[in-house]
Amino acid sequence: MASIAKRLDDNAPGEFYVDRSCIDCAVCRWVAPGVFAEASDHSYVARQPRDDTQRLRAAMALVACPTASIGTMSKLDVGSAVSRFPEVIDQNVLFCGYTSEDSFGAASYLILRPEGNVLVDSPRAAGPLLARLEQLGGVETMFLTHRDDVADHERFHRRFGCRRVMHVDDVTGTTRGIETKIEGRMPVALAHDLVMIPTPGHTRGHAVLLHRDKYLFTGDHLAYSPGAGQLVAFHDACWYSWDEQIRSMRALLDQTFEWVLPGHGWRYRAASAAAMRDEVEQCLNRMHARSK
């Protein structure tokens, strides 16, 4: 739990605060951008909530925070915030909340499908989330984009019996037991509406998931920067090969999608698939320039 004694000095006076345990994962800034902002190495409450909507969003950020670094001066009933997760992003795609410190607060997503729901990367296996997933039909497949964001995958497998899918090049000791290990560098159809696309770069076995030629779940491969107003790849967090990441990004030009749904960074919807392709090309140009 957050500690009032460790409350950061730059928090705005009032009910909500962030304490010194913050790891600067940005989850609170995605969930409640009207309340939380970024300092040099942490988030803080820049403005106290002004209305019920902002109070709800701030409480949702408290629930989603991976390190329990958000607190309130008085005892707060977070029942309404808890009930909002998983939160609908668009149609059958939901944001799970309940991020895990083990994956540095990476976002995970739920895809609702008649053929069986898909969990993209692992959230924290919190009781309320597990119960809600059960109500929504459970989890048939867990797609793991890369080795960094596996978090509580074993607990989800035990609870739902889900088939876990990951590229073999990112399998480690903690994931050796997963059911489906994909090899090679070509896209693989996992179902009629799901395509796994290997995207080495951030890690050797990184992969993204394309759903219905519309939603691209990008892990740590591609994200949106609201400050820069553009798509970005994380050069400073490229653990395997920047050249490989450039090649992987170029391969995305062969795919059709409108949404980028990352583990880290902001999600983004382009005006059309053609507009998204243009923005990926611009990102590629910036990546090439970074290599020089």
Side-chain angles (χ1 to χ4, degrees), residues 1 26 31 131 142 226 255 274 285:
M1 295 179 63
V31 176
M142 174 176 262
Q255 306 297 330
N285 292 336

Side-chain angles (χ1 to χ4, degrees), residues 3-58:
S3 168
I4 293 175
K6 297 180 181 178
R7 177 179 176 140
L8 291 163
D9 292 337
D10 44 6
N11 287 293
E15 180 69 21
F16 285 86
Y17 66 89
V18 178
D19 77 6
R20 291 197 297 274
S21 65
C22 175
I23 58 174
D24 198 24
C25 67
V27 170
C28 63
R29 306 197 300 267
W30 309 335
V31 176
V35 174
F36 299 93
E38 181 181 12
S40 59
D41 61 356
H42 62 269
S43 296
Y44 69 102
V45 175
R47 296 162 294 277
Q48 292 291 334
R50 296 188 298 271
D51 53 34
D52 289 344
T53 298
Q54 287 198 343
R55 278 187 286 275
L56 174 61
R57 299 306 301 183

Side-chain angles (χ1 to χ4, degrees), residues 2 8 17 75 82 123 134 140 142-143 149 161 165 178 196 201 206-207 224-227 237 244 260 264 282:
L8 291 163
Y17 66 89
K75 186 173 177 60
V82 166
E134 194 82 64
E140 192 272 337
M142 174 176 262
F143 180 83
D149 294 350
V165 181
I178 67 173
M196 175 180 180
H206 195 288
Y224 182 74
S225 168
E244 282 292 311
V260 164
H264 296 287
Q282 294 171 33

